Amino acid sequence: MKTDFRNLDQLLKLSVQSSDFKTTVILLGKQEVSIFYYSTLIDAKWMQQHLILVMQNRSLDSEIKEIEDIKTWIPINDIEITDDLTNIQSKLLKGYAIVQLHENDQKCALVNLADNHGLRENNDTENEFSVVGPKVGFVEDLDTNIGLLRSQINLPNLIIKEIIIGTTSKTKVAIIYIDGLTNEQYIQTVEQRLTDIDIDFVFDSSLLDQMMSDNSLTPFPLFVSTERRDRVVYSLINGQVAVISDGSPYIVTGPSTLFDFFISAEDYYLPWILGSFFRLIRIFGVIFSLFSTSMYVAITTYHYEVIPKALLSPLIFSRMNVPFPPFFEVLFLEITIEFLREAGARLPTKIGQTLGIVGGIVIGQAAVAAALTSNILLILVALSALASFTTPIYKMSNAIRFLRFPFIILSAIWGGIGIFIGVGFLFVHIIRLKSLGAPYAVPIFPLRIMSFKDSFIRSSFQILNKRPQHLRPKSSVKYLPKKPVKQKNDLDEE
């Protein structure tokens, strides 16, 4: 997305909408020199020592007559004198400061004060790891995170609005969007909901996620919470709004749909055929995790006739010595798996991994040997637990873990009919959900055929050249795909 400016003043007026765009005026005798910069992109100490203090000290001896004299005043090698707006815009967004002698001057000095934000060793993504693609994640400092985004999105219309939330904590919260692209209704909704929050302390962005939610009576997350920079950049370019609080390494983006939680960054770094295959694997894994154990309860309790004869004998043999009905058998194993998960998550990393592996094997074998459960159910529960981890977003994984238990209870009461009843209630609930007022079940409901190209599957980039229409962006086209040119070879000419 390109922005054309007629003069320098238009660029400065657009940039000043962001809270991290600063203006410093230095009085050199009777002369005022203006310095414009993004505070999240520059090194503040470097600017104070090598720009402001130097200019103030030199002003005691002489005044700046021409903008070219800046090079002799400031002890910085990378200084460029230009009136090229394209160059000024590009350098400003890379950590350069604009030095302007007079208000209407189009020629200015670009001084390199860039700071390498976020380039520390411990900001790799931990919970959203990917084999292919960048590993850059966010940290707990708000300015560093904004600098990471600005270094990736080189647009002056990337707007940052800061507000203060928390009567005690006074936490800085930033609303991030691209002006001229994101629908204004979503921006106003996010801003209004954040300003209406009355709380004494904000610990993390997850609190804002819950307080901005359209519906608090749902286990589903209505906003994507991510620590990956590339995921946030992709969301902003599509026309979504991002929210981050100081002290949190997670950024919340919305409005979100159900399918956003099954999209991994690797889907776009791999060929579209492989990306689509892995996305379908995740969706199938969630469906299997949600219904495998409840189907076991329904079939073994009410519907033995649907079991093939080849499987009927092994199933009866494995449950022959189990004294409990299938419902309590499944409930025992599911709760055991949840105990192992929680214990592994709370313990130190190395101890937690050992507990998860050894504990699962020992308890599983002991449960089968003690005739507390069957071998077949043990395999189903283990596969169900593995399938629930295929979701890239942790909050959605938690929702799937929770929803298994209502389906198990319904299958124990009414069998297969109970599962169908639960699916009906679940489907209606998802259809009624909204994220920032936008439908949560898009593109299934309301039906959006064109949005299917990046929902169940990931189509090729030749097709994904438009932004999702359910986000109602101001600019729908991301890029114009080039048609492949057929090259002639020597054999064709002959």
Side-chain angles (χ1 to χ4, degrees):
M1 181 179 179
K2 296 182 179 179
T3 305
D4 297 325
F5 301 98
R6 294 181 180 178
N7 51 53
L8 182 58
D9 291 337
Q10 288 185 348
L11 172 61
L12 297 178
K13 286 180 180 179
L14 177 61
S15 302
V16 79
Q17 297 182 41
S18 294
S19 58
D20 62 330
F21 185 79
K22 307 295 182 183
T23 303
T24 300
V25 179
I26 303 176
L27 186 62
L28 306 180
K30 297 181 179 180
Q31 184 182 22
E32 289 186 352
V33 178
S34 300
I35 304 174
F36 307 94
Y37 58 93
Y38 284 103
S39 60
T40 54
L41 296 178
I42 69 162
D43 189 327
K45 292 182 180 179
W46 187 267
M47 176 180 177
Q48 184 69 25
Q49 295 175 2
H50 296 86
L51 182 59
I52 295 178
L53 289 179
V54 170
M55 292 182 68
Q56 289 175 342
N57 293 333
R58 289 290 298 273
S59 66
L60 300 176
D61 302 327
S62 60
E63 293 185 355
I64 302 177
K65 296 181 180 180
E66 300 292 337
I67 191 65
E68 286 78 5
D69 297 337
I70 290 289
K71 291 186 175 181
T72 62
W73 279 49
I74 303 172
I76 297 176
N77 292 329
D78 192 357
I79 299 178
E80 182 180 352
I81 309 299
T82 182
D83 58 356
D84 185 1
L85 287 175
T86 303
N87 189 26
I88 294 172
Q89 173 185 330
S90 176
K91 292 293 181 66
L92 178 64
L93 294 166
K94 292 181 179 179
Y96 284 68
I98 298 176
V99 180
Q100 189 182 44
L101 288 186
H102 305 288
E103 184 177 354
N104 295 324
D105 282 353
Q106 297 303 309
K107 183 180 287 188
C108 63
L110 298 174
V111 184
N112 187 2
L113 301 172
D115 183 20
N116 292 325
H117 277 296
L119 297 181
R120 68 181 202 183
E121 295 181 356
N122 61 336
N123 70 327
D124 294 342
T125 54
E126 296 181 0
N127 298 321
E128 295 179 68
F129 182 80
S130 65
V131 179
V132 183
K135 309 295 189 296
V136 180
F138 296 107
V139 293
E140 288 79 6
D141 182 69
L142 180 62
D143 290 339
T144 301
N145 293 333
I146 295 175
L148 284 170
L149 288 175
R150 284 205 179 277
S151 64
Q152 191 77 12
I153 305 178
N154 294 314
L155 289 174
N157 45 338
L158 177 66
I159 306 301
I160 314 293
K161 287 186 178 180
E162 288 188 5
I163 59 176
I164 303 298
I165 298 180
T167 55
T168 302
S169 63
K170 306 294 183 183
T171 305
K172 289 194 298 182
V173 176
I175 304 172
I176 309 170
Y177 62 93
I178 297 178
D179 185 52
L181 173 59
T182 308
N183 192 290
E184 293 180 353
Q185 182 179 348
Y186 299 139
I187 302 170
Q188 295 172 0
T189 302
V190 170
E191 193 171 356
Q192 183 64 44
R193 291 183 183 182
L194 288 176
T195 52
D196 289 345
I197 293 176
D198 185 12
I199 193 173
D200 56 350
F201 207 100
V202 176
F203 296 96
D204 190 78
S205 299
S206 299
L207 293 177
L208 304 177
D209 179 346
Q210 299 176 53
M211 294 177 182
M212 291 191 301
S213 176
D214 298 62
N215 187 351
S216 60
L217 300 176
T218 178
F220 291 98
L222 301 182
F223 297 93
V224 173
S225 182
T226 179
E227 62 177 346
R228 294 185 63 96
R229 181 178 66 173
D230 53 355
R231 182 183 282 272
V232 176
V233 169
Y234 185 75
S235 299
L236 291 172
I237 291 175
N238 276 339
Q240 293 177 295
V241 184
V243 176
I244 185 173
S245 66
D246 195 15
S248 174
Y250 284 87
I251 287 186
V252 177
T253 62
S256 302
T257 67
L258 179 65
F259 288 96
D260 289 340
F261 296 90
F262 301 101
I263 295 175
S264 173
E266 287 182 334
D267 296 348
Y268 301 97
Y269 301 137
L270 296 172
W272 72 271
I273 297 177
L274 296 179
S276 301
F277 172 73
F278 293 135
R279 189 178 294 183
L280 290 172
I281 287 292
R282 290 186 214 107
I283 296 174
F284 173 76
V286 168
I287 295 174
F288 179 84
S289 176
L290 194 58
F291 297 109
S292 59
T293 50
S294 58
M295 289 293 292
Y296 174 86
V297 173
I299 291 173
T300 54
T301 305
Y302 297 99
H303 312 292
Y304 264 107
E305 65 277 3
V306 302
I307 303 175
K309 292 183 179 179
L311 287 177
L312 189 58
S313 297
L315 181 61
I316 294 175
F317 181 77
S318 65
R319 295 205 71 255
M320 183 170 56
N321 297 322
V322 178
F324 307 112
F327 171 70
F328 291 105
E329 182 188 4
V330 168
L331 199 62
F332 166 73
L333 271 186
E334 288 283 5
I335 293 176
T336 302
I337 291 293
E338 294 301 324
F339 285 160
L340 289 173
R341 278 181 173 178
E342 287 299 308
R346 304 293 173 261
L347 289 173
T349 305
K350 294 183 179 179
I351 302 176
Q353 292 177 350
T354 305
L355 176 67
I357 297 172
V358 177
I361 295 174
V362 171
I363 294 177
Q365 291 295 329
V368 173
L372 296 177
T373 184
S374 63
N375 289 319
I376 295 177
L377 178 60
L378 185 63
I379 295 172
L380 280 178
V381 172
L383 290 176
S384 177
L386 286 176
S388 66
F389 287 116
T390 58
T391 51
I393 304 299
Y394 178 70
K395 289 186 176 181
M396 180 56 71
S397 175
N398 289 338
I400 300 303
R401 288 167 57 185
F402 167 78
L403 287 173
R404 286 209 304 267
F405 290 95
F407 278 103
I408 292 172
I409 295 173
L410 289 173
S411 64
I413 299 174
W414 292 301
I417 297 176
I419 295 177
F420 280 109
I421 292 173
V423 170
F425 274 103
L426 181 63
F427 191 70
V428 172
H429 176 71
I430 292 176
I431 286 177
R432 297 187 61 181
L433 289 178
K434 294 183 182 295
S435 176
L436 294 180
Y440 189 67
V442 170
I444 296 177
F445 183 87
L447 186 63
R448 296 289 184 268
I449 301 297
M450 295 302 296
S451 297
F452 274 90
K453 59 187 178 183
D454 196 17
S455 55
F456 292 99
I457 62 171
R458 194 225 98 185
S459 303
S460 67
F461 286 114
Q462 293 291 325
I463 301 176
L464 294 178
N465 64 316
K466 292 185 178 180
R467 295 181 175 88
Q469 290 303 305
H470 67 271
L471 295 175
R472 295 181 292 170
K474 292 185 176 180
S475 176
S476 60
V477 179
K478 287 193 284 188
Y479 56 88
L480 295 176
K482 294 183 179 180
K483 295 182 179 180
V485 179
K486 185 177 181 181
Q487 297 181 351
K488 296 182 178 180
N489 52 37
D490 296 337
L491 294 176
D492 293 335
E493 294 178 355
E494 291 178 0

